[in-house]
Amino acid sequence: MELWFTEKQTPELGITCKVKDVLHTEKSQYQQIAVLDTYQFGRLLALDGIIQTTICDEFVYHEMIAHVPLFTHPNPKRVLVIGGGDGGAIREVLKHKSVEAAYLAEIDGRVVEVSKQYLPEISCALDDPRCHVEIGDGIKFVQEHKGEFDVIIVDSTDPIGPAVGLFHQEFYRSLYDALSDNGLFVAQTESPFYNAGLISDIYRSISEVFPITRLYLAHVPTYPGGMWSFTIGSKSYDPIDVRIDVKGMDMCYYTPELHKAAFVLPEFVKNIIKGGL
Amino acid sequence: MELWFTEKQTPELGITCKVKDVLHTEKSQYQQIAVLDTYQFGRLLALDGIIQTTICDEFVYHEMIAHVPLFTHPNPKRVLVIGGGDGGAIREVLKHKSVEAAYLAEIDGRVVEVSKQYLPEISCALDDPRCHVEIGDGIKFVQEHKGEFDVIIVDSTDPIGPAVGLFHQEFYRSLYDALSDNGLFVAQTESPFYNAGLISDIYRSISEVFPITRLYLAHVPTYPGGMWSFTIGSKSYDPIDVRIDVKGMDMCYYTPELHKAAFVLPEFVKNIIKGGL
């Protein structure tokens, strides 16, 4: 028997991959959690049927969501990750020696537990003494912490189900308040090929709250279209004007030159942003 | 009835899209040719079941395979496209006013005819008076034309079937001979995620023939992994050290800044190249 897992990336488009083994499935309080072992990508985590991360390509997303904002801040000490229960973003955050405390606010404790059990390469830093895991609503967590974080990373699922509130301007205002004086945040902001309207709205919303807004791109093969966007809102540091020293840090995707190149956008992506302003 | 077209991008991975209409299928002398109308991408051309181009995302590939080499040469007058029977590369080539003659050497005349019939937005420039379509073996065509072209674009299918010979060093030597004194060529060179060994071999092969070898990337959502590579072999002009004027040219992906950013490679892609040297 051949087993194939198909994710509908849009109603008319799918990615399908051959499955070696279904390692885990459960229905948590919030979503359906599955870990599959696939031939192409190794083990992958899917939430409500959507691929979140895979052993083979997770380095792209996790390096790019973490190092771009952390290297934009000259001395990030306190960092918050919202979502990201697999621990991949936290793992990259903790590669920065300046970081004294990294908080993970994940709504679904089962994602953390399942990732610890089946994806140790990704979740390995969750037991680091500098890491503090808070199971609960990220929106509430942000509202209860004012001026506390140098960098906030919104590592959310797609804007359906539990993550909807993480794509609203009200939430960006809470992030502004939760950041320290010169703080900045980044959010994953979906695919320019398939979510242009959403990106346009998000960019405008953030730029109404933060003085500096910047969008950058990375190649994530398991996400729709393979082109993924991230948007930064920053109080004072500009992510395209930074000095970066990666000495002693082990990375597979991120480089100082790529940090800057990732902000150079194709014409149609520039137009998506302009469309929102 | 729901009709879905699935391309196996690797033996363990597929892209699948919902089909509105099967507009054309035939078995030519060289391959199976199909034009499907899909909900996600509009009309698409598939050869032997592999997506070659779609109405929705063709601009990325065609702009990037044409404008990067053409803007690297300060005054490209004679250009050759090998493969590319859909006409998309030629359309972009002819946006350059310096170009006096653009030759298309396509082995399969039926691809040209089918593209003219079903993909007029892509094939529209094939009837331009500056365009000369030569149906025949690109390898032979190159061998019969010495020192004639300022830029050669190898817009081939994957290295199986009729295109195998286009990925050999012997062919790169013929390209060298077919180029004018300061000429350069570009070839599409597959996915860094899924064809690392091939890219490594190609890069080494080209760098043994040409003094300047450079690899660049673009986001093509309908190609495996969404990250596509192109490799340039150049006799004297360096593609990362160019002055670009796009005034009056209509583009959706390419920009002068993106031309340079496309050569800034993720760490793992740098390592693929190093592995071959």
Side-chain angles (χ1 to χ4, degrees), chain B residues 246-258:
Chain B
V246 292
K247 209 162 45 190
M249 295 173 76
D250 187 28
M251 292 154 185
C252 292
Y253 192 88
Y254 181 92
T255 75
E257 299 73 27
L258 195 76

Side-chain angles (χ1 to χ4, degrees), chain A residues 4 6 8 10-18 39-41 59-60 193-194 217-219 221 225-227 251-255 257-258 261 264-268 270, chain B residues 4 6 8 10-18 39-41 59-60 193-194 217-219 221 225-227 251-255 257-258 261 264-268 270:
Chain A
W4 289 73
T6 303
K8 274 204 180 175
T10 77
E12 285 106 21
L13 177 68
I15 181 174
T16 183
C17 52
K18 196 173 165 187
Y39 287 91
Q40 188 68 56
F41 301 116
F59 69 96
V60 179
F193 285 112
Y194 306 127
L217 300 171
H219 290 93
M227 175 199 256
M251 292 152 186
C252 292
Y253 193 88
Y254 182 92
T255 75
E257 297 76 26
L258 195 75
V264 180
L265 305 178
E267 189 66 16
F268 82 100
K270 286 164 69 178
Chain B
W4 288 73
T6 303
K8 273 204 178 176
T10 77
E12 285 106 21
L13 177 67
I15 181 173
T16 184
C17 51
K18 196 174 166 186
Y39 288 90
Q40 189 67 55
F41 301 117
F59 69 96
V60 180
F193 285 112
Y194 305 126
L217 300 172
H219 290 93
M227 174 199 257
M251 292 154 185
C252 292
Y253 192 88
Y254 181 92
T255 75
E257 299 73 27
L258 195 76
V264 179
L265 306 177
E267 188 67 17
F268 83 100
K270 286 163 70 177

Side-chain angles (χ1 to χ4, degrees), chain A residues 67-73 96 242 244-246 249 251 254 259:
Chain A
H67 298 308
V68 174
L70 266 84
F71 276 118
T72 298
H73 195 291
H96 291 254
V242 290
I244 300 162
D245 181 4
V246 293
M249 294 172 79
M251 292 152 186
Y254 182 92
H259 175 121

Side-chain angles (χ1 to χ4, degrees), chain B:
Chain B
M1 184 185 78
E2 280 200 3
L3 198 61
W4 288 73
F5 162 68
T6 303
E7 173 193 325
K8 273 204 178 176
Q9 297 182 321
T10 77
E12 285 106 21
L13 177 67
I15 181 173
T16 184
C17 51
K18 196 174 166 186
V19 174
K20 206 180 284 185
D21 202 0
V22 178
L23 298 176
H24 182 82
T25 56
E26 72 172 85
K27 181 94 185 62
S28 77
Q29 189 185 341
Y30 297 98
Q31 54 209 340
Q32 203 250 340
I33 302 173
V35 181
L36 309 178
D37 192 8
T38 66
Y39 288 90
Q40 189 67 55
F41 301 117
R43 278 158 286 134
L44 70 76
L45 172 70
L47 299 178
D48 286 339
I50 308 290
I51 299 174
Q52 302 299 312
T53 195
T54 84
I55 291 295
C56 278
D57 78 335
E58 57 93 6
F59 69 96
V60 180
Y61 177 85
H62 292 134
E63 290 184 16
M64 290 301 278
I65 202 169
H67 298 308
V68 175
L70 265 85
F71 276 118
T72 297
H73 195 291
N75 189 27
K77 289 183 179 171
R78 292 175 61 81
V79 177
L80 168 63
V81 176
I82 297 170
D86 54 59
I90 285 282
R91 184 194 62 201
E92 297 303 314
V93 165
L94 291 175
K95 287 183 180 172
H96 292 253
K97 287 187 183 140
S98 67
V99 173
E100 295 168 359
Y103 289 81
L104 181 79
E106 163 64 56
I107 200 164
D108 191 344
R110 289 301 303 153
V111 172
V112 174
E113 293 312 313
V114 167
S115 299
K116 279 186 177 178
Q117 188 171 355
Y118 294 102
L119 306 167
E121 304 90 332
I122 301 176
S123 58
C124 50
L126 292 174
D127 293 323
D128 187 291
R130 290 181 291 163
C131 175
H132 308 276
V133 177
E134 308 273 345
I135 301 304
D137 183 2
I139 294 175
K140 209 167 148 234
F141 187 88
V142 165
Q143 286 164 347
E144 289 166 355
H145 293 78
K146 303 283 187 196
E148 284 191 29
F149 302 104
D150 300 314
V151 174
I152 299 176
I153 295 172
V154 186
D155 179 9
S156 73
T157 51
D158 296 331
I160 37 171
V164 166
L166 305 179
F167 291 81
H168 288 167
Q169 193 177 57
E170 201 182 324
F171 178 61
Y172 303 139
R173 292 192 194 282
S174 305
L175 291 179
Y176 188 97
D177 293 338
L179 286 166
S180 56
D181 284 351
N182 297 311
L184 67 146
F185 89 96
V186 67
Q188 75 81 5
T189 47
E190 306 284 308
S191 158
F193 285 112
Y194 305 126
N195 311 97
L198 178 73
I199 290 173
S200 177
D201 290 347
I202 291 170
Y203 196 91
R204 186 188 58 245
S205 289
I206 296 176
S207 63
E208 286 169 0
V209 177
F210 285 83
I212 296 167
T213 307
R214 300 272 184 204
L215 184 142
Y216 64 98
L217 300 172
H219 290 93
V220 183
T222 52
Y223 287 178
M227 174 199 257
W228 212 246
S229 77
F230 303 85
T231 308
I232 282 179
S234 178
K235 290 187 177 182
S236 68
Y237 301 115
D238 190 337
I240 63 172
D241 183 22
V242 289
R243 281 199 198 172
I244 301 162
D245 181 4
V246 292
K247 209 162 45 190
M249 295 173 76
D250 187 28
M251 292 154 185
C252 292
Y253 192 88
Y254 181 92
T255 75
E257 299 73 27
L258 195 76
H259 175 122
K260 294 181 186 183
F263 289 92
V264 179
L265 306 177
E267 188 67 17
F268 83 100
V269 182
K270 286 163 70 177
N271 288 333
I272 289 172
I273 290 175
K274 273 187 214 154
L277 298 178

